[in-house]
Amino acid sequence: MNKGPEVARGKTKILYQHPDQPDAVIVSSQDSITAGDGAKRNVITGKGRLAALTTARIFRLLNACGLPTHYLSGGEDEDDNEMIVRRCEMIPIEVVVRGVAAGSYLKRHPAVKEGAVFAPRLVEYFFKDDARHDPQYSAEQIIAEDLATPAELGEMTDVALLVFEILAHAWKQQNVLLIDLKVEFGRHKTADGESQILLADVIDNDSWRIWPGGDPKRMLDKQIYRNMGTPKDNELGVVKEKYEEVAERVAQFQKSVGGFVTIIMGSSADAAHAERIGKALSGFGIPSTKHVASAHKTPMYALTRVHQTDSAMGRVVYITIAGRSNALSAFVDAATPNPVIACPVIGSNWAGMEILSSLQLPSGVASLVVLEPENAALAAAKILGVDDTVLFGRVLVAQYRSRKNVIESDARMATAPPNGKAGA
Ligand code: 5GP
């Protein structure tokens, strides 16, 4: 790729100005591998290509989930060690998320055993300074030293936790436990001059610990290299094999199971309700089809629709809409092994009674009930997200935005305490 002048250089990558786009830089991953803040250094031919491949696949997954990252394109071809990313002013903080105790945490907390689970996840910050061995910083220190504002640090922490959960889910699909993860952030100037926090740098096999089957002896990550004394050529070959395996496994992260939702409504009078569900599903990127079929009036036809849906490719969740006496949801549920969510239209003077027809079911019938159309779509997204990491990530990001809305509303609503003094 044509490159402009060098912009910056790290231990394992070089950044160049993009020749045509002033707002973009090219990250060129190098074949070096280092440990001990650069004290140990080796070259593994092809490692730069594997690092770029791994990072590109991970950042594409995170972008697909709706997370703001600096990644634009590149790095995905088997012979390509370069990615194009948005230009950022890097914040010199490593944000580490830990799900399981390992590494430097154990040295700092010798009483804790390797493998102890952190619930909630633990977030730690380290100031990037090789000469001082990346000292741990508190949130207060980061803010006092003007490295990030409280709002920026809050965003970095929240996004780091989301990234961890998304990658933990992706690894879980392959029976691999994500132990911990390091991410970095930058400030990007948007077209309208706003400063935006973006997930930046790289996420590759140097950035995490991953244990297949939860077993540290089967680790696949850079810790293998850290644990070696002075590595011999054949040992470096073993390290390279692990990096190749990880790049290949990461290619599965965006694998879609082709999930979809079939909305069956008892009458065309329910179309507006169905429309709201379809719109909310589109927000998650879930395709849906709509049918009108009544359990009371056209039972055989409704059954045919269920059989047709069940024989289609991909995972299906049904959302059934019926007003008044809801026979449809239980009827569909008894006819299919796939999940059925009843989202009844509650409207008449009998509303309180009507709902009982969705709740009180015979044995062996398990249609679920979710009243709000948007919530029914969310429930379907959660079900389909069980083995689809993009969907799982989109649900996580939607929940994060919903939490943020509440907190921002509180900030707008909050008034000064009496006398203007906190705690007065
Ligand atoms: P620890 O603090 O236990 O050494 O590392 C915590 C996590 O952050 C591990 O997943 C480790 O691989 C990652 N990590 C820590 N420091 C660095 C670093 O300087 N570069 C990279 N790529 N990852 C790091």
Side-chain angles (χ1 to χ4, degrees):
M1 191 182 311
N2 279 338
K3 292 188 274 292
E6 185 177 317
V7 175
R9 183 178 280 255
K11 290 193 284 286
T12 55
K13 56 195 173 292
I14 305 174
L15 271 64
Y16 300 93
Q17 177 57 51
H18 191 284
D20 312 316
Q21 301 170 34
D23 196 28
V25 292
I26 297 168
V27 180
S28 170
S29 294
Q30 303 299 294
D31 285 346
S32 41
I33 183 164
T34 69
D37 302 313
K40 179 160 90 172
R41 184 177 183 282
N42 288 90
V43 170
I44 299 179
T45 308
K47 185 200 173 241
R49 174 182 58 79
L50 293 168
L53 199 57
T54 305
T55 294
R57 287 173 173 165
I58 289 172
F59 276 80
R60 282 176 65 83
L61 166 75
L62 298 173
N63 282 348
C65 293
L67 275 187
T69 82
H70 73 157
Y71 176 82
L72 290 170
S73 63
E76 287 174 290
D77 298 331
E78 299 291 329
D79 58 354
D80 184 5
N81 68 331
E82 294 174 344
M83 299 183 305
I84 302 174
V85 302
R86 290 190 178 87
R87 178 184 270 281
C88 283
E89 175 207 346
M90 290 302 291
I91 297 172
I93 294 292
E94 296 185 339
V95 182
V96 171
V97 183
R98 297 181 192 275
V100 174
S104 76
Y105 183 88
L106 300 176
K107 292 200 187 107
R108 286 176 283 123
H109 304 86
V112 179
K113 297 239 174 329
E114 184 180 62
V117 172
F118 295 114
R121 314 298 193 185
L122 181 70
V123 179
E124 295 178 331
Y125 312 106
F126 297 87
F127 180 58
K128 279 172 72 79
D129 182 354
D130 279 346
R132 288 200 291 149
H133 304 292
D134 296 350
Q136 188 176 12
Y137 262 36
S138 65
E140 289 75 13
Q141 252 175 310
I142 292 172
I143 288 157
E145 293 189 18
D146 281 333
L147 297 169
T149 66
E152 285 174 337
L153 189 59
E155 173 99 1
M156 288 158 61
T157 307
D158 289 343
V159 172
L161 283 162
L162 291 172
V163 171
F164 186 93
E165 294 311 332
I166 291 169
L167 297 180
H169 182 275
W171 276 123
K172 213 186 280 182
Q173 304 306 307
Q174 301 183 32
N175 195 28
V176 175
L177 187 63
L178 177 62
I179 304 301
D180 48 30
L181 168 73
K182 184 271 307 181
V183 290
E184 295 182 30
F185 293 87
R187 291 182 193 95
H188 172 68
K189 276 254 174 305
T190 61
D192 49 13
E194 297 277 306
S195 173
Q196 181 192 16
I197 290 289
L198 290 182
L199 184 73
D201 193 49
V202 297
I203 300 180
D204 58 24
N205 201 32
D206 295 355
S207 313
W208 55 28
R209 290 190 177 89
I210 43 175
W211 298 351
D215 180 356
K217 291 195 283 302
R218 294 171 59 197
M219 66 175 74
L220 291 171
D221 57 87
K222 182 177 148 183
Q223 191 62 37
I224 299 171
Y225 172 76
R226 292 191 193 103
N227 292 350
M228 291 170 176
T230 304
K232 302 184 191 71
D233 280 353
N234 65 327
E235 287 179 316
L236 289 177
V238 171
V239 176
K240 184 174 177 184
E241 274 169 27
K242 301 291 182 206
Y243 278 69
E244 276 167 347
E245 178 180 342
V246 167
E248 256 171 54
R249 282 176 174 262
V250 165
Q252 302 300 311
F253 279 10
Q254 265 204 73
K255 175 186 64 128
S256 168
V257 290
F260 67 100
V261 168
T262 289
I263 301 171
I264 304 183
M265 62 197 107
S267 157
S268 59
D270 305 324
H273 210 67
E275 198 54 45
R276 279 175 64 186
I277 296 172
K279 195 165 163 229
L281 288 169
S282 300
F284 289 110
I286 301 173
S288 60
T289 54
K290 298 191 191 83
H291 296 291
V292 180
S294 162
H296 288 117
K297 298 186 205 171
T298 60
M300 295 308 286
Y301 182 70
L303 212 48
T304 304
R305 279 289 179 220
V306 173
H307 291 154
Q308 281 172 343
T309 302
D310 280 351
S311 51
M313 292 286 284
R315 301 258 192 288
V316 61
V317 172
Y318 289 88
I319 300 182
T320 45
I321 307 171
R324 303 189 190 173
S325 171
N326 177 13
L328 182 67
S329 306
F331 176 86
V332 171
D333 188 80
T336 176
N338 290 307
V340 176
I341 301 168
C343 185
V345 181
I346 305 289
S348 75
N349 294 339
W350 293 89
M353 300 293 284
E354 281 172 17
I355 201 167
L356 295 177
S357 63
S358 298
L359 298 176
Q360 178 62 288
L361 307 180
S363 62
V365 181
S367 43
L368 312 161
V369 181
V370 182
L371 295 184
E372 283 297 311
E374 290 73 17
N375 288 352
L378 173 62
K382 284 186 165 192
I383 292 170
L384 293 171
V386 165
D387 55 2
D388 182 325
T389 301
V390 173
L391 257 184
F392 174 87
R394 286 178 183 163
V395 169
L396 261 184
V397 171
Q399 290 176 321
Y400 163 62
R401 298 210 193 291
S402 153
R403 278 197 299 278
K404 242 181 129 174
N405 271 341
V406 174
I407 290 160
E408 282 168 7
S409 303
D410 180 55
R412 280 195 300 276
M413 202 65 79
T415 49
N419 310 325
K421 286 186 196 150

